[in-house]
Amino acid sequence: MSTPSLANYIIKRPWLRRWMQPLSEWYKDAAGYRKLGLRADDLIPEESETVLLALKRLPPKEAYDRVFRLRRAFQCSLAHQLLPKNEHTRPEEDRLYLSPIIKEIEAEKQEREDLEVMTVKKKQRNS
């Protein structure tokens, strides 16, 4: 998750955000993952320790739903079919559920790293 991103730059500028929002919605729809019943966070690769730890912190129901969505998408992919229109992920259902946990873990790691490098110095008395 620590890849360079223009998201913060765009979000801080309302005029740019208004201009990019329709393009963003179009791109999400064109990406095709919603047609397989997936959410955006289902596309995050499970290769890093941070993501694996975030997956362990997921509530049981959310973890089960994620596995179900991934298996169903895999089956659709093998059959070269898309889900019926009524089973596509709707934009209001496509919310972030894993990214906030990943950001929290990265903040914890950064805090731990900052604390490990911190040096404590005693004040010297001027007598």
Side-chain angles (χ1 to χ4, degrees):
M1 293 295 302
S2 57
T3 58
S5 174
L6 292 174
N8 290 335
Y9 179 82
I10 293 170
I11 290 171
K12 289 178 183 175
R13 288 151 182 85
W15 63 272
L16 189 55
R17 183 176 182 172
R18 281 192 307 272
W19 186 77
M20 293 297 286
Q21 191 69 32
L23 184 64
S24 167
E25 293 301 323
W26 172 83
Y27 180 78
K28 287 182 202 174
D29 191 46
Y33 67 88
R34 289 180 176 167
K35 295 175 184 172
L36 293 172
L38 295 173
R39 293 183 183 172
D41 276 357
D42 292 335
L43 304 176
I44 297 174
E46 300 177 9
E47 298 170 352
S48 72
E49 290 181 28
T50 306
V51 176
L52 290 174
L53 185 57
L55 289 171
K56 289 179 185 176
R57 290 186 185 183
L58 276 178
K61 180 169 180 5
E62 193 69 52
Y64 176 82
D65 290 346
R66 180 178 193 277
V67 170
F68 175 78
R69 287 191 303 270
L70 289 172
R71 287 184 180 177
R72 183 174 58 174
F74 186 68
Q75 288 293 332
C76 288
S77 177
L78 286 176
H80 298 285
Q81 295 178 349
L82 297 176
L83 288 174
K85 191 85 166 165
N86 63 344
E87 294 184 29
H88 289 189
T89 303
R90 292 185 296 278
E92 59 272 6
E93 293 175 345
D94 191 10
R95 59 176 174 69
L96 301 177
Y97 67 94
L98 192 60
S99 296
I101 300 173
I102 292 173
K103 288 178 184 173
E104 180 182 309
I105 291 171
E106 287 177 345
E108 289 172 6
K109 283 184 178 181
Q110 184 64 40
E111 183 181 0
R112 189 176 303 117
E113 185 179 303
D114 290 345
L115 288 174
E116 287 176 356
V117 226
M118 186 179 359
T119 57
V120 179
K121 296 181 181 178
K122 287 186 175 182
K123 284 188 174 181
Q124 294 179 354
R125 292 185 176 195
N126 295 334
S127 303

mmCIF file of all heavy atoms in Angstrom, residues 1-7:
data_model
loop_
_atom_site.group_PDB
_atom_site.id
_atom_site.type_symbol
_atom_site.label_atom_id
_atom_site.label_comp_id
_atom_site.label_asym_id
_atom_site.label_seq_id
_atom_site.Cartn_x
_atom_site.Cartn_y
_atom_site.Cartn_z
ATOM 1 N N MET A 1 0.809 -1.188 0.000
ATOM 2 C CA MET A 1 0.000 0.000 0.000
ATOM 3 C C MET A 1 0.858 1.259 0.000
ATOM 4 O O MET A 1 0.322 2.340 -0.013
ATOM 5 C CB MET A 1 -0.911 0.018 1.218
ATOM 6 C CG MET A 1 -1.986 -1.041 1.271
ATOM 7 S SD MET A 1 -3.241 -0.942 0.005
ATOM 8 C CE MET A 1 -3.911 0.651 0.233
ATOM 9 N N SER A 2 2.144 1.119 0.029
ATOM 10 C CA SER A 2 2.980 2.304 0.098
ATOM 11 C C SER A 2 3.494 2.686 -1.292
ATOM 12 O O SER A 2 4.644 3.023 -1.455
ATOM 13 C CB SER A 2 4.132 2.073 1.071
ATOM 14 O OG SER A 2 4.855 0.936 0.661
ATOM 15 N N THR A 3 2.629 2.626 -2.287
ATOM 16 C CA THR A 3 3.005 3.043 -3.623
ATOM 17 C C THR A 3 2.653 4.522 -3.801
ATOM 18 O O THR A 3 1.746 5.018 -3.153
ATOM 19 C CB THR A 3 2.262 2.213 -4.689
ATOM 20 O OG1 THR A 3 0.867 2.362 -4.483
ATOM 21 C CG2 THR A 3 2.649 0.748 -4.597
ATOM 22 N N PRO A 4 3.364 5.226 -4.666
ATOM 23 C CA PRO A 4 3.055 6.642 -4.882
ATOM 24 C C PRO A 4 1.633 6.804 -5.410
ATOM 25 O O PRO A 4 1.164 6.012 -6.222
ATOM 26 C CB PRO A 4 4.073 7.081 -5.925
ATOM 27 C CG PRO A 4 5.082 6.011 -6.021
ATOM 28 C CD PRO A 4 4.490 4.775 -5.444
ATOM 29 N N SER A 5 0.954 7.819 -4.948
ATOM 30 C CA SER A 5 -0.436 8.021 -5.334
ATOM 31 C C SER A 5 -0.731 9.511 -5.467
ATOM 32 O O SER A 5 -0.231 10.326 -4.704
ATOM 33 C CB SER A 5 -1.351 7.405 -4.283
ATOM 34 O OG SER A 5 -2.683 7.695 -4.559
ATOM 35 N N LEU A 6 -1.572 9.835 -6.418
ATOM 36 C CA LEU A 6 -2.028 11.211 -6.593
ATOM 37 C C LEU A 6 -3.321 11.464 -5.852
ATOM 38 O O LEU A 6 -3.857 12.571 -5.899
ATOM 39 C CB LEU A 6 -2.229 11.503 -8.079
ATOM 40 C CG LEU A 6 -0.979 11.551 -8.936
ATOM 41 C CD1 LEU A 6 -1.343 11.706 -10.402
ATOM 42 C CD2 LEU A 6 -0.074 12.686 -8.503
ATOM 43 N N ALA A 7 -3.846 10.459 -5.187
ATOM 44 C CA ALA A 7 -5.157 10.567 -4.536
ATOM 45 C C ALA A 7 -5.207 11.726 -3.545
ATOM 46 O O ALA A 7 -6.154 12.518 -3.563
ATOM 47 C CB ALA A 7 -5.514 9.260 -3.845
#
